[in-house]
């Protein structure tokens, strides 16, 4: 059956694809309401809009589509075949919008909303679980999306709006970001247990100048800190292996493939000895970062306040 055509101006062919959504979207709910009641006056009363506004919206919708959606008889209307086809899709679209609105409302609920939180791999085994456990003691229904990554990748996800907050090192210094120092973590020189320095408790980093190093890949905050500390100690490290996780590097050290500057492990690793570095001062700052000017939802604001309250006691060596 051929659809009836409605007279009147239509969107120009050149602008149709760009503008059709903007033209149709505000009128879908009006159309569905009239279709449900098959009466303009009753639909207007239910939706709390003037009847004239509703009538004009339906006429414009038909003009935009170039199709008659209703057959009219006085104040009563009935769907045309084209109207019935359009109604099925319109109701699905409206239902999807409602689901999206419900999801947004749920994520921003002060008591049960969601926080997208990023953190370094080395924070994942103990620090972050402990933080979330402590936070949820007072906020038991707040949910988290957790993302582990290296610092630069998390900053990019922060800028893209995929994260609300991230724990990172070093603390970023950029005009579009806010960074707050929370704590610092000592770094150890990790050597094989049969290494010439393994019997020592403390070491100057310069004593490892001739060693082969295993490090994280360029782009990781800890790699930058390692390079800077070695430079401060007067040498450039000879890097044999680059990895993505601190525990993988410990395994390489245990296998006798080099030494590494690493934060303390969650669980002691056999085959290695962890030495305190006395000079230069080997630490990395841990901080929280967020996008400057980005409004916080209530759950994000609560978690941010909680993190800032942990200054100086975020970590334990």
């Amino acid at each position: 059956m051929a659809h009836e055509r409605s007279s009147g101006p239509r969107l120009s062919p050149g602008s149709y694809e760009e503008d059709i959504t903007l033209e149709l979207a505000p009128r879908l709910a009006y159309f569905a309401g009239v279709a449900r009641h098959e009466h303009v006056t009753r639909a207007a009363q239910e939706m709390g809009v003037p009847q004239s506004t509703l009538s004009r919206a339906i006429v414009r919708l038909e003009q935009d589509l170039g199709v008659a959606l209703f057959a009219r008889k006085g104040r009563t209307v009935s769907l045309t075949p084209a109207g019935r086809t359009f109604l099925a899709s319109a109701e699905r679209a409206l239902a999807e919008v409602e689901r999206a609105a419900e999801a947004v409302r749920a994520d921003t609920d002060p008591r049960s909303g969601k926080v997208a939180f990023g953190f370094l791999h080395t924070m994942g085994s103990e620090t972050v679980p402990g933080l979330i456990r402590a936070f949820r003691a007072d906020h038991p229904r707040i949910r988290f999306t957790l993302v582990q990554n290296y610092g630069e990748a998390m900053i990019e996800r922060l800028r893209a709006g995929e994260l609300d907050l991230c724990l990172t090192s070093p603390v970023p210094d950029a005009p579009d970001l806010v960074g707050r120092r929370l704590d610092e973590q000592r770094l150890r020189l990790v050597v094989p247990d049969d290494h010439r320095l393994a019997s020592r408790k403390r070491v100057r980093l310069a004593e490892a100048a001739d060693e082969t190093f295993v490090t994280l890949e360029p782009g990781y905050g800890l790699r930058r800190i390692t390079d800077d500390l070695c430079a401060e100690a007067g040498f450039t490290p000879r890097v044999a292996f680059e990895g993505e996780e601190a525990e993988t590097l410990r395994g390489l050290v245990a296998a006798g493939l080099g030494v590494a500057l690493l934060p303390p492990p969650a669980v002691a690793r056999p085959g290695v000895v962890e030495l305190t570095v006395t000079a230069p001062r080997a630490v990395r700052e841990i901080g929280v970062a967020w996008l400057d000017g980005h409004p916080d939802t209530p759950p994000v604001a609560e978690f941010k306040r909680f993190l800032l309250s942990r200054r100086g006691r975020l970590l334990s060596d």
Side-chain angles (χ1 to χ4, degrees):
M1 178 183 293
H3 290 171
E4 299 173 62
R5 305 291 296 181
S6 174
S7 61
R10 298 187 62 194
L11 296 171
S12 65
S15 64
Y16 189 81
E17 290 184 0
E18 300 91 12
D19 295 342
I20 189 67
T21 300
L22 293 175
E23 293 288 338
L24 299 185
R27 302 185 184 114
L28 292 184
Y30 288 164
F31 164 70
V34 174
R36 183 168 57 250
H37 288 280
E38 295 191 331
H39 198 283
V40 176
T41 302
R42 287 196 291 270
Q45 289 171 345
E46 181 191 75
M47 289 185 282
V49 298
Q51 180 177 329
S52 58
T53 299
L54 191 57
S55 296
R56 284 196 300 270
I58 296 301
V59 170
R60 285 294 306 276
L61 177 61
E62 291 177 319
Q63 290 174 347
D64 290 339
L65 292 173
V67 176
L69 301 174
F70 293 102
R72 293 162 174 79
K73 187 175 181 181
R75 295 184 178 180
T76 302
V77 296
S78 60
L79 287 167
T80 63
R84 283 192 294 274
T85 298
F86 189 65
L87 177 63
S89 295
E91 287 180 331
R92 285 195 296 271
L94 291 168
E96 187 62 31
V97 170
E98 180 58 28
R99 280 192 293 271
E102 285 298 325
V104 169
R105 286 193 287 266
D107 286 350
T108 59
D109 185 279
R111 292 165 297 181
S112 60
K114 185 170 70 175
V115 179
F117 182 44
F119 52 93
L120 301 168
H121 290 285
T122 51
M123 305 274 101
S125 58
E126 287 190 342
T127 301
V128 168
L131 285 172
I132 292 176
R133 181 178 62 245
F135 176 73
R136 294 194 78 199
D138 294 323
H139 305 85
R141 294 172 57 199
I142 286 182
R143 298 165 290 127
F144 284 83
T145 296
L146 300 176
V147 175
Q148 287 179 274
N149 217 320
Y150 65 99
E152 288 187 8
M154 282 195 298
I155 295 302
E156 289 309 306
R157 296 187 71 166
L158 201 63
R159 288 181 168 127
E162 299 172 12
L163 291 176
D164 298 309
L165 302 164
C166 68
L167 277 185
T168 189
S169 176
V171 181
D173 180 16
D176 61 332
L177 300 175
V178 179
R180 294 287 183 267
R181 182 184 182 278
L182 296 178
D183 214 335
E184 67 178 25
Q185 187 175 47
R186 290 183 178 273
L187 301 179
R188 316 292 192 190
L189 182 67
V190 184
V191 301
D193 60 6
D194 60 354
H195 191 271
R196 62 182 178 85
L197 297 173
S199 62
R200 303 266 296 275
K201 291 185 181 296
R202 295 175 177 79
V203 65
R204 290 176 293 107
L205 188 55
E207 295 179 73
D210 295 330
E211 299 291 335
T212 296
F213 276 72
V214 296
T215 70
L216 295 179
E217 295 175 351
Y220 283 69
L222 187 56
R223 171 61 180 272
R224 194 185 327 160
I225 292 168
T226 296
D227 290 345
D228 289 346
L229 286 172
C230 290
E232 191 176 345
F235 69 95
T236 299
R238 291 187 295 112
V239 177
F241 297 93
E242 296 175 332
E244 295 181 346
E245 290 193 354
E247 289 313 301
T248 300
L249 299 186
R250 272 194 175 82
L252 294 173
V253 173
L257 299 175
V259 303
L261 273 174
L262 295 173
V267 178
R269 174 79 181 240
V272 302
V273 174
E274 315 240 346
L275 306 176
T276 298
V277 178
T278 59
R281 188 167 182 266
V283 298
R284 66 170 179 171
E285 289 188 339
I286 306 293
V288 59
W290 61 88
L291 199 60
D292 191 21
H294 192 274
D296 291 333
T297 64
V300 170
E302 281 298 318
F303 190 56
K304 182 188 292 184
R305 279 193 290 270
F306 169 79
L307 289 175
L308 294 175
S309 76
R310 308 283 291 195
R311 283 191 181 100
R313 54 193 182 94
L314 185 77
L315 309 168
S316 59
D317 281 8

